[in-house]
Each structure stands twice: as C-alpha cells, then as structure tokens.
C-alpha cells in the first residue's frame, strides 16, 4: 500500500526562507520601534503575512495603533524587502534529500502537492527549478485562513483529486503539523521542537521514500 499523494510545506521543508522572512520583518519592525529575535520569528512560521504583522504589532504593544491602510503599506514594504532578498535563491538552496524524494515519488507514481501560505511560493519554486516536480500547488491567494487551519492542505488535496486520509503531509512548523492533523492526513514533522506529528524526523536528509514507505505501512 502506498499513499495517494505527498503534500509538502515550502518554507523550512523544501528550502529555508525563514531567515530571509526574519531579516525583512526585523527591518520593518525596527522602523516601527519593535524588536524581534529569531525565537519570535519561529512563531511566525506558516503564518500569513497580514497575521504575522498583527502578531509583531501585538508583540511590540502596538496593536490597534495603525489603520488597515497603514498595515497594508507596512506588509507591502516587508514583502518588497523579502522579494528582493529572494534574488539570492538558486537551485543550490533546495534542502538536502528533497530532490531525491521528489524523484522517488515520481518513480512510485505518487502525486506531489504544495501547501504553502506564501504568495511568493510560485516564484520560489521557479527560482529553485522545482516547478515541474509538483502535480498541484494550492493557491495561497484563494485561502481565507492561515495554518493551523487545514484549508491550504484541503485545497491541495482537492487540486490533486485525492482523499486526505490517503495522504502524507510534511511540515516544519507547529501550526502546519496541526493543519495536517486537522484534515485527517498523516503528518510528518521536520525538526525537534514539534509536538503531535505522526512521524518526527530531525532534518530533511532523513526524509527518504524508504522511510516514508515504512511509516505508511506500519504506522497507518
Ligand atoms: P509571504 P509556508 C509561510 O510559508 C512562511 O512560513 C511564513 O513565515 C510567511 O509569513 C508566509 O508563508 C507568508 O509568506 O509573505 O511570502 O506571502 O511555511 O506556508 O511555506
Ligand atoms: Mg514551513
């Protein structure tokens, strides 16, 4: 028995753009007189851009200080800084083991999907030269709710025409693991500080088809 599809998160699973998000948010936050560090940035993983800004303002005690139009402008400025930093992204930035896994899934005829809430996901896949390896990428622009809501994973399942219960989801963020679990998929967490994942692997290097296949057959 094999899963019908494997659905990937982008940031932290396929490539590590979390640091680039951090640098852009830190610059914008500093301009607003708010300090953020990498530990705080970890809590923004898998969280949409507007919701990330809300959390940063709350963190800095500035919730409700800015109008919606001002918030939109701040978020746009962060995105401009972030998009600029994406110019440094090349195919070398694909995390270890990911290309091999995508190759193995194609050989096994298992569908592949992307469930990223990043509006920049298509450009990132393009820069990594990974676009042709995905059968369907859920469109973050159509999503109303950020992870931990399962909406983005369910959209990926719909686009792939698969049953969530027959799929594996891979995530590096706590909110993402909760989103996978909430739609009945089997969850694989990447990292050490995650709770609730059906399978927890320390790095993407351990993310082989052989490991996923054993997990699917024995832990399902
Ligand atoms: P953007 P994922 C998420 O990507 C990031 O983890 C999160 O930090 C970011 O705020 C969010 O995308 C939105 O990204 O500003 O580019 O639209 O983990 O769901 O792949
Ligand atoms: Mg992530």
């Amino acid at each position: 028995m094999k899963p019908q599809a494997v659905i990937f998160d982008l940031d932290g699973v396929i490539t590590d753009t979390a640091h680039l998000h951090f640098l852009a948010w830190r610059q914008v936050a500093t301009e607003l007189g708010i300090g953020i560090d990498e530990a705080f940035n970890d809590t923004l993983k898998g969280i949409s851009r507007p919701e990330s800004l809300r959390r940063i303002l709350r963190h800095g005690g500035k919730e409700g200080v800015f109008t919606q139009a001002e918030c939109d402008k701040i978020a746009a400025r962060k995105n401009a800084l972030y998009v600029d930093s994406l110019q440094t992204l090349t195919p070398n930035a694909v995390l270890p083991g990911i290309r091999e896994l995508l190759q193995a899934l194609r050989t096994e005829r298992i569908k592949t999907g992307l469930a990223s809430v990043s509006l920049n996901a298509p450009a990132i896949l393009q820069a990594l030269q990974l676009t042709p390896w995905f059968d369907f990428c859920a469109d973050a622009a159509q999503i109303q709710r950020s992870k931990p809501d399962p909406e983005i994973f369910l959209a990926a399942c719909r686009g792939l025409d698969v049953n969530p219960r027959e799929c594996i989801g891979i995530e590096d963020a706590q909110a993402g693991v909760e989103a996978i679990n909430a739609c009945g998929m089997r969850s694989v967490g990447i990292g050490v500080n995650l709770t609730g994942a059906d399978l927890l692997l320390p790095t993407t290097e351990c993310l082989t088809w052989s490991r996923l296949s054993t997990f699917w057959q024995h832990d399902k």
Side-chain angles (χ1 to χ4, degrees):
M1 283 295 285
K2 294 178 190 175
Q4 292 180 347
V6 175
I7 300 177
F8 294 77
D9 168 48
L10 176 62
D11 179 18
V13 172
I14 289 174
T15 189
D16 192 7
T17 44
H19 189 65
L20 301 179
H21 278 294
F22 170 62
L23 294 177
W25 276 130
R26 187 178 61 180
Q27 183 162 339
V28 166
T30 304
E31 288 164 9
L32 299 173
I34 298 171
I36 60 169
D37 58 16
E38 294 257 17
F40 176 78
N41 189 61
D42 271 359
T43 68
L44 303 180
K45 286 184 180 173
I47 306 299
S48 71
R49 201 181 311 157
E51 178 58 24
S52 294
L53 177 57
R54 267 191 290 279
R55 291 185 187 201
I56 289 168
L57 293 176
R58 198 181 314 140
H59 178 72
K62 300 205 171 191
E63 205 175 10
V65 169
F66 300 100
T67 63
Q68 188 54 51
E70 286 167 333
C71 286
D72 292 348
K73 222 170 141 189
I74 296 166
R77 164 137 175 82
K78 180 267 173 181
N79 192 50
L81 291 166
Y82 176 65
V83 168
D84 201 40
S85 72
L86 288 177
Q87 283 176 22
T88 59
L89 218 56
T90 69
N92 289 335
V94 177
L95 286 171
I98 294 298
R99 251 179 233 289
E100 293 79 355
L101 177 58
L102 289 167
Q103 183 94 54
L105 293 172
R106 183 161 287 181
T107 305
E108 296 292 329
R109 295 178 185 276
I110 295 167
K111 291 178 181 175
T112 50
L114 190 80
S116 169
V117 297
S118 173
L119 294 163
N120 294 297
I124 294 172
L125 280 192
Q126 201 76 41
L128 299 174
Q129 294 178 6
L130 284 182
T131 310
W133 290 94
F134 287 87
D135 296 306
F136 184 78
C137 298
D139 182 358
Q142 304 290 321
I143 299 304
Q144 307 296 317
R145 296 173 296 275
S146 237
K147 300 164 186 175
D149 191 284
E151 193 179 6
I152 189 92
F153 281 96
L154 290 172
C157 289
R158 253 195 322 276
L160 290 167
D161 192 24
V162 292
N163 176 351
R165 300 203 166 271
E166 297 299 323
C167 297
I168 292 175
I170 307 175
E171 262 288 351
D172 70 311
Q174 188 59 43
V177 169
E178 287 165 22
I180 294 171
N181 291 344
C183 58
M185 298 167 65
R186 304 288 292 164
S187 55
V188 176
I190 305 293
V192 282
N193 294 321
L194 294 173
T195 55
D198 297 316
L199 172 67
L200 190 60
L201 300 172
T203 66
T204 55
E205 262 170 309
C206 311
L207 194 59
T208 60
W209 166 240
S210 148
R211 186 70 195 83
L212 289 186
S213 170
T214 310
F215 159 66
W216 186 260
Q217 290 172 61
H218 298 289
D219 301 333
K220 197 170 178 267

